[in-house]
Amino acid sequence: MDDIQELFSLFPEIKEHILVTKKIGQGTFSYVYLGEFYQNKEEKVALKYIIPTSSPSRTKQEIDCLLNIGGRDNVIGVLSVLRNKSHVLIIMPYVDHESFHGSFIYWTIDEVKEYIKGLLIALNRVHQCGIIHRDVKPSNFLYDSKKKIYALVDFGLAQTYDSSSENIFTYEKLNKNRSNHQSENTPDKKNLISISSKKSTGQLILTTPKTQNTQNKSDISSLPNVPNKDCKTQMSISQSFDRNLNEQLIKPTSTIINVKNFDSPKPSTPNLQKFHSFSKPGFTFSDNKCNCFNMPFVCEICTARPNKWAARAGTAGFRAPEVLFRSNHQTPAVDVWSAGIVLLSILSGRYPFFKAVDDYMAIMQLTSLFGGESIRKSSIKYGESFLCSFDKQPDDLKEICKSLRRNSVQTIKSKASNETEREANSNIIVDFPDGAYDLLKKLLELDYEKRISAENALKHQFFET
Ligand code: ADP
Ligand code: MG
């Protein structure tokens, strides 16, 4: 649905208060519109219309996340949520951001520091609240360079995380756990977002506290806040979203036969215990057990093996190795990896840095940067066996970034057509302080257990100098 009139017909109440001016974003699951209040044109909002075909669980998760943790520490807040049958509209403060692609190369070192720090602050907030965002990338981290506002958006793929069991689980379980603590953490009623439903239309309306109008509109952290200050309080949106909460765990398709986990059943048919392998140009997965992949059928051994289930939501070029190898040990470190890929783009002047069409290509691209041996070790850590048919030595991250960035900057400079452009381009940074490359290495640590946390990354020397 891209028609503003249709939006008004679904949600007539917004017409009275908000002038919707244009569409500003379109993703797989949503359309985002810009609006401004009639009474105060300076107060702009983003209206995210979630397409009715997206799963109710996804929609519920997104709203739950925004209500629970948004509105501070660079995580976008929510002003109101409207529902009309299967149509949902999330109204958020508008962040007047520019495209990362067209601007990051011109940022100063201080701007890069502030941007990465802003992202880590948001991730620290998300992780401290037991949530993994799972889709960290520039288009989900908005930056208003004039007002210095940063906002992590798009919690459609977010999952909750239990550090004690290192398991990702659903909101349902989290809600149960939280309700056990409810008496200790009863939210302050004044701050609660009120929920009212219109029986006639089936609409569900959430309204933030009245105090919102007195807040400073240019500061995301002071915009209408969520009720909880300690991440413990919990609000449920609607029973109707509670269906099928496990949908995030995507079952691999049949091609995943080549990627087997180690604790699969032992082969029982001796003549099939030869070699099970699958090749994509340049590399091979193998479990050295049978050769059924080369036959026109799939052997009993392989069909008896459990399919490997692992969360793999996100965007290919930003997926951490543990996601690519479909490990069950997926933690907030997956977001830290993605933040590392963002920094890699900045330091190398290349965006996107990895442009993978699927996970195999993404693994191959990681191999070309980190070397075959490191990726092989990493695959074992994540319960897979990865054989690289060529001996790729690791690149030096710092050197590769410097040389790529130098090339990018030269290309931009050569395209300058007038004096003003030449002047602007003369200030483009080529080399960053050593601390930037050191932080990059720590964010892009292949082993998720050794990877730096968002909290510790914020203490890195890169941000001190
Ligand atoms: P999707 O799930 O479809 O990716 P997002 O929440 O990422 O939806 O929104 C898509 C795009 O809409 C964003 O990349 C951004 O350009 C724009 N957008 C989303 N929220 C806001 C906001 N609060 N302020 C300004 N623009 C926004
Ligand atoms: Mg998005």
Side-chain angles (χ1 to χ4, degrees):
M1 191 199 73
D2 58 359
D3 183 346
I4 293 172
Q5 288 314 317
E6 218 175 313
L7 191 72
F8 286 145
S9 69
L10 282 168
F11 305 101
E13 56 276 73
I14 56 172
K15 203 174 178 179
E16 291 164 29
H17 306 285
I18 299 171
L19 170 69
V20 180
T21 49
K22 58 176 180 180
K23 198 202 273 180
I24 49 169
Q26 181 167 347
T28 325
F29 301 103
S30 72
Y31 298 126
V32 182
Y33 298 87
L34 171 64
E36 58 195 36
F37 284 102
Y38 284 115
Q39 285 187 340
N40 178 6
K41 285 203 185 326
E42 293 303 301
E43 192 175 349
K44 297 206 173 1
V45 287
L47 304 108
K48 180 170 178 174
Y49 170 75
I50 302 189
I51 57 166
T53 46
S54 36
S55 80
S57 62
R58 188 189 152 104
T59 309
K60 180 184 186 298
Q61 275 175 47
E62 178 154 17
I63 299 168
D64 270 348
C65 276
L66 291 172
L67 288 174
N68 278 308
I69 67 172
R72 55 179 271 195
D73 292 344
N74 301 338
V75 179
I76 195 76
V78 59
L79 300 171
S80 188
V81 181
L82 308 178
R83 180 167 76 87
N84 182 352
K85 297 185 182 130
S86 54
H87 304 272
V88 172
L89 188 72
I90 304 175
I91 306 180
M92 300 168 277
Y94 172 69
V95 180
D96 192 5
H97 60 289
E98 50 216 79
S99 111
F100 176 85
H101 192 206
S103 57
F104 78 91
I105 199 87
Y106 301 100
W107 293 350
T108 62
I109 293 175
D110 281 343
E111 220 172 349
V112 171
K113 276 186 199 171
E114 283 160 18
Y115 178 88
I116 295 295
K117 194 173 179 181
L119 177 56
L120 290 169
I121 288 172
L123 291 184
N124 188 34
R125 163 81 179 152
V126 171
H127 297 165
Q128 297 286 328
C129 294
I131 287 165
I132 312 178
H133 183 280
R134 294 204 69 97
D135 200 14
V136 172
K137 56 182 178 181
S139 62
N140 288 337
F141 185 62
L142 314 181
Y143 167 43
D144 176 343
S145 61
K146 289 187 200 87
K147 293 183 186 158
K148 293 286 170 206
I149 290 175
Y150 306 89
L152 184 65
V153 299
D154 197 357
F155 284 78
L157 299 174
Q159 287 177 315
T160 52
Y161 167 75
D162 173 19
S163 55
S164 58
S165 66
E166 218 192 61
N167 274 335
I168 296 166
F169 56 81
T170 64
Y171 260 102
E172 199 169 42
K173 197 165 165 192
L174 181 82
N175 289 348
K176 273 189 201 136
N177 287 354
R178 282 178 171 168
S179 61
N180 292 340
H181 299 289
Q182 205 86 104
S183 53
E184 296 156 35
N185 298 292
T186 309
D188 179 353
K189 288 239 164 53
K190 290 199 301 288
N191 283 334
L192 276 178
I193 293 172
S194 67
I195 305 178
S196 60
S197 66
K198 271 192 188 171
K199 277 202 179 126
S200 51
T201 56
Q203 283 172 347
L204 179 82
I205 303 173
L206 308 185
T207 329
T208 42
K210 292 238 162 24
T211 51
Q212 69 190 50
N213 298 331
T214 60
Q215 310 256 344
N216 174 2
K217 303 301 179 308
S218 65
D219 180 3
I220 284 290
S221 61
S222 67
L223 280 163
N225 216 336
V226 290
N228 61 315
K229 297 205 166 47
D230 58 1
C231 321
K232 291 268 170 56
T233 56
Q234 171 67 29
M235 293 183 68
S236 185
I237 305 305
S238 162
Q239 296 296 321
S240 64
F241 287 120
D242 280 348
R243 172 158 73 79
N244 205 3
L245 285 163
N246 265 323
E247 273 175 6
Q248 284 291 324
L249 304 177
I250 296 165
K251 194 174 178 180
T253 56
S254 56
T255 54
I256 301 312
I257 190 168
N258 55 308
V259 186
K260 290 293 171 192
N261 54 11
F262 285 154
D263 45 35
S264 49
K266 292 272 175 294
S268 56
T269 324
N271 65 357
L272 283 175
Q273 291 182 29
K274 287 179 194 160
F275 197 77
H276 174 125
S277 74
F278 170 70
S279 300
K280 277 246 167 182
F283 68 103
T284 308
F285 282 109
S286 162
D287 64 2
N288 293 325
K289 279 180 188 154
C290 76
N291 66 350
C292 74
F293 203 85
N294 300 324
M295 300 178 182
F297 62 91
V298 178
C299 75
E300 283 168 25
I301 304 162
C302 287
T303 47
R305 286 176 178 154
N307 260 322
K308 200 165 180 187
W309 284 60
R312 50 182 294 282
T315 305
F318 292 85
R319 281 192 191 125
E322 61 270 31
V323 180
L324 295 172
F325 285 120
R326 297 176 190 193
S327 164
N328 289 321
H329 301 282
Q330 293 186 27
T331 68
V334 304
D335 290 340
V336 172
W337 175 276
S338 308
I341 299 290
V342 177
L343 182 57
L344 179 63
S345 280
I346 297 173
L347 299 185
S348 67
R350 297 288 162 107
Y351 182 76
F353 192 90
F354 292 126
K355 204 175 178 185
V357 294
D358 59 24
D359 287 354
Y360 298 111
M361 191 187 274
I363 291 170
M364 200 156 77
Q365 290 172 340
L366 288 190
T367 306
S368 72
L369 189 62
F370 295 94
E373 183 55 17
S374 309
I375 299 297
R376 192 188 67 78
K377 279 192 187 145
S378 172
S379 74
I380 291 169
K381 163 105 193 173
Y382 300 128
E384 304 294 347
S385 178
F386 166 79
L387 300 179
C388 184
S389 57
F390 54 90
D391 183 23
K392 175 67 183 73
Q393 293 302 305
D395 283 321
D396 182 315
L397 267 182
K398 180 173 155 184
E399 291 313 315
I400 197 99
C401 282
K402 285 190 171 197
S403 110
L404 289 172
R405 181 145 178 133
R406 203 164 293 128
N407 283 344
S408 299
V409 172
Q410 259 165 19
T411 311
I412 292 175
K413 285 186 175 172
S414 67
K415 284 183 184 159
S417 56
N418 56 48
E419 200 45 50
T420 325
E421 272 180 30
R422 265 189 287 280
E423 171 117 23
N425 292 347
S426 66
N427 296 325
I428 303 180
I429 306 295
V430 175
D431 293 329
F432 286 83
D434 280 352
Y437 305 101
D438 185 73
L439 175 62
L440 180 68
K441 279 185 196 150
K442 294 187 162 98
L443 298 171
L444 293 183
E445 163 60 55
L446 294 167
D447 184 341
Y448 79 104
E449 287 181 303
K450 294 186 189 148
R451 199 173 302 145
I452 195 167
S453 64
E455 187 180 10
N456 286 336
L458 282 168
K459 298 174 196 152
H460 191 275
Q461 41 140 329
F462 176 50
F463 301 117
E464 281 167 13
T465 48

